[in-house]
Amino acid sequence: MFRILIPVDFTDGSTNACRFALHMGAALPQAEILLLHCFSDYLLQPQLDDPLNDAGRSPLSPGSEIITDRVLHRNQMDEQEKLENLYKELQAEAHTIGQHIHLKHAFINGLPEDVIPDEISRFKPDLLLMGTKGEDNVARSLFGTITTKMVEDAKVPLLTVPEPYRQHSLSRVLYATDFDKTDAEALTALMHLLKPFNSEILCAHIGTEDSERDDSHRMEQLQARLYAALPDHNLQFVILPSDDDVADALQEFVAREQIGLVAINNHQRSLFSSIFKPSLSKKLVLEAQVPLLVFHSSEKV
């Protein structure tokens, strides 16, 4: 049973991520997908900067508490209804593309940064899948919020799917390497994850003209390590010149080679940090509109 956990907030981005998960599940012998919605009681958070309102009453005075309870109850009921409707909609779609997809949903009170790790521990997913939003929301949807926190903290592979992305093919996948010593571990996990999809995996390094000779030598060393660790692999290897622009080189290659997924290892600090600079990330995540898979190596570097 392959398990996928999807936090949902009823935006187009998270709904699109759900549909991506359904198509993944259709290629698997057995798939269990859990839709997780975290409901936060923001109205109950203390207003420390303004303990009294204009009328001189505490925000949590008896009268305001009653109103707050009513609003919270209504909001919670609305969110539960949205989750139920989304579940029914996806359940109908699941039946048309894969009878073996088991869809579940959970409504949990709490902050996403607290609930998601707890649910990872309880549900034990093979994959955490999260949607990302459009360009106007990139700063708060991918960089510096829940998704970024999960990139750093989640102990399972994290797949982010851009909201505009509508394809579902995983036939060609790029693993971006910076010659990290944990590449073999990440590539083993990647091949295991993609085995049901018969994916062609390209292992690529983005270099410069000045580093061409050194990059070629390091790529040969990486190939030797991988052949020793994974003798039956069918990986392809390529070095991409970038002229110091990692995003442009990777994006152009992804478009030219019809790559459906880019995978990275979050312990590749130099590559990871360059990819996630806001100016570069827009080209990778928004313009290319290709899902990004982040592995978490167990080795500390």
Side-chain angles (χ1 to χ4, degrees):
M1 180 72 73
F2 190 91
R3 294 182 172 182
I4 303 175
L5 174 63
I6 312 178
V8 297
D9 60 2
F10 314 122
T11 61
D12 291 341
S14 69
T15 302
N16 184 54
C18 292
R19 293 196 166 92
F20 190 93
L22 291 183
H23 284 271
M24 286 191 68
L28 300 167
Q30 292 289 326
E32 185 174 2
I33 300 174
L34 175 62
L35 311 177
L36 171 66
H37 181 65
C38 309
F39 180 76
S40 302
D41 296 341
Y42 294 108
L43 291 175
L44 291 182
Q45 294 181 1
Q47 301 179 29
L48 298 179
D49 295 336
D50 186 19
L52 299 178
N53 60 21
D54 294 338
R57 299 174 60 190
S58 167
L60 294 180
S61 62
S64 63
E65 284 183 358
I66 295 175
I67 296 175
T68 298
D69 287 343
R70 289 175 180 173
V71 173
L72 286 173
H73 178 71
R74 184 177 68 245
N75 289 346
Q76 181 166 327
M77 294 295 292
D78 289 344
E79 298 288 284
Q80 288 175 327
E81 183 178 0
K82 290 179 182 178
L83 179 61
E84 189 66 29
N85 290 338
L86 177 62
Y87 168 75
K88 291 178 179 178
E89 178 182 342
L90 295 173
Q91 185 78 286
E93 293 184 26
H95 286 163
T96 64
I97 63 175
Q99 295 289 336
H100 53 279
I101 299 176
H102 303 279
L103 195 63
K104 299 181 177 180
H105 59 305
F107 186 97
I108 300 179
N109 286 278
L111 297 172
E113 57 265 37
D114 299 325
V115 174
I116 294 174
D118 288 345
E119 202 60 19
I120 289 175
S121 298
R122 187 199 68 80
F123 184 60
K124 295 180 172 54
D126 298 282
L127 183 68
L128 174 64
L129 200 156
M130 301 179 73
T132 59
K133 302 178 183 179
E135 186 169 1
D136 291 341
N137 295 310
V138 66
R140 59 188 175 88
S141 66
L142 183 59
F143 311 103
T145 56
I146 304 304
T147 304
T148 300
K149 186 172 179 59
M150 292 303 105
V151 165
E152 295 297 328
D153 297 346
K155 304 305 180 184
V156 297
L158 167 64
L159 176 60
T160 63
V161 181
E163 189 279 325
Y165 192 77
R166 293 294 183 270
Q167 302 178 47
H168 304 107
S169 173
L170 294 176
S171 59
R172 290 174 64 79
V173 173
L174 183 146
Y175 176 82
T177 177
D178 202 31
F179 304 123
D180 191 271
K181 60 184 177 180
T182 59
D183 278 333
E185 177 187 345
L187 281 164
T188 300
L190 179 63
M191 287 189 288
H192 177 73
L193 176 66
L194 297 176
K195 186 176 181 180
F197 305 96
N198 297 316
S199 302
E200 177 185 1
I201 302 175
L202 291 79
C203 185
H205 172 73
I206 300 90
T208 64
E209 291 184 2
D210 294 338
S211 65
E212 183 176 355
R213 179 178 298 180
D214 186 50
D215 289 341
S216 296
H217 177 64
R218 297 174 74 185
M219 184 65 85
E220 291 175 0
Q221 291 180 319
L222 174 60
Q223 288 179 261
R225 291 201 306 271
L226 290 172
Y227 277 117
L230 308 165
D232 297 327
H233 78 72
N234 58 350
L235 299 169
Q236 298 184 36
F237 299 86
V238 62
I239 296 177
L240 310 176
S242 70
D243 295 327
D244 296 325
D245 195 326
V246 173
D248 279 346
L250 192 55
Q251 178 180 306
E252 290 172 7
F253 185 82
V254 164
R256 184 174 67 250
E257 298 296 327
Q258 297 182 319
I259 301 296
L261 177 71
V262 174
I264 62 173
N265 181 353
N266 78 333
H267 282 301
Q268 296 172 193
R269 295 302 181 186
S270 59
L271 176 65
F272 186 74
S273 61
S274 66
I275 284 178
F276 277 85
K277 289 178 182 177
S279 60
L280 301 179
S281 60
K282 286 187 178 181
K283 297 177 181 178
L284 291 177
V285 179
L286 299 175
E287 295 178 17
Q289 300 180 357
V290 173
L292 181 69
L293 177 63
V294 182
F295 283 99
H296 304 81
S297 172
S298 59
E299 185 172 352
K300 301 292 185 182
V301 295

